[in-house]
Amino acid sequence: MTPTLTGVPRRHAILVDAGYLLAASAHMIQGTSLRRSIDVDWTKLILHLKEGVAERAQSSELLRLFWYDATDVERTGKRNREHELLPFIDDVKLRLGRMNSEGQQKGVDLRIGLDMVNLALQKAVTDVYLISGDDDISEAVEMAQEYGLRVHLFNVPDETSRLTVRATAYNLVKIVDTCTAIKAELLRNAIKPSKVSQVAPVTPVCPTPAPVPAPPRPGPVPSPAMFTGPAPFQLSNPSRTVYSTGSRGTGFYYGEMAVDHELAEHIPQVARTVAKGWLDSITPTELQEALREKPSIPQDVDRSLLQDLTTKSGDANHMLSYDLKVQLRSQFWEAVERAGSRSRN
């Protein structure tokens, strides 16, 4: 190990939030955060991440690269393909959280924070290169810094962002020691658009959902009794309800949120982009299975729709109104139907 001017050897670790890296890279390459819209050469990606960090930490030795992701192995009985492959790549340590019933990852940020603080306490490294955009780990970053660790943010580039990195919390950028964008060519060399197969023409299983009028605005502030009724809130025509697979039976919405007209202008483009990324990444059989569940939307697709529209607001914590969600999900299925019509022609 190479000593610094103070005589302390320099050593670094790379901590990768896979959910952030892959979603942000997908958005850079495909225009949508839909993870399944990209194909990854895992060996190349790990190599390029190490190379990119090595350029920044020229006099430092790599301890290892920690890869954090969530798995739904408890429900599916099997790991993702990359989770089986990554442990066999040199210098990689796989850390897995879990997916809950809503398709949300749990335990990943906690594992990143615990490892970061532990590395600082054990004096195992002097520097951490963090690939993540989540503000939830900010407190762990500050605690690790108090123990002498230098934390460098190393994120997916975004030339349109004033932070120069994509989908990253402002507070996280503010507290780290340095913030640098990964070179786009390194990511593009290892990550390509997904092309599973040519999707067969879409055969409508049920009529394309029409835009649904927003529910009437509530009058008085709801009492606790309103949340304990026997049936969930429903629109007057349930057959036209558009929802995600993770939101059935949870249709309550109260508040005074008005439609954000600026975000509404982005809905057609977001719906088209996510629909294209999804259609390019699935087989005809998978498409027909999804259509049978229409208007329900696969969890990861619905999550990308909401995330991509939220990103347009410039605030990762912006809460989309009920009206925007209905319009977005409805226009997603319309985009799928239009893609099917073009295939038939």
Side-chain angles (χ1 to χ4, degrees), residues 142-154:
E142 292 183 307
M143 180 174 289
Q145 289 172 322
E146 291 175 2
Y147 290 117
L149 189 69
R150 287 181 56 81
V151 181
H152 311 273
L153 206 57
F154 192 56

Side-chain angles (χ1 to χ4, degrees), residues 322-342:
Y322 175 88
D323 295 340
L324 286 178
K325 292 178 182 179
V326 169
Q327 292 179 47
L328 180 60
R329 290 160 173 163
S330 177
Q331 290 200 34
F332 166 78
W333 282 122
E334 291 175 5
V336 171
E337 293 287 359
R338 283 196 297 271
S341 297
R342 287 194 295 270

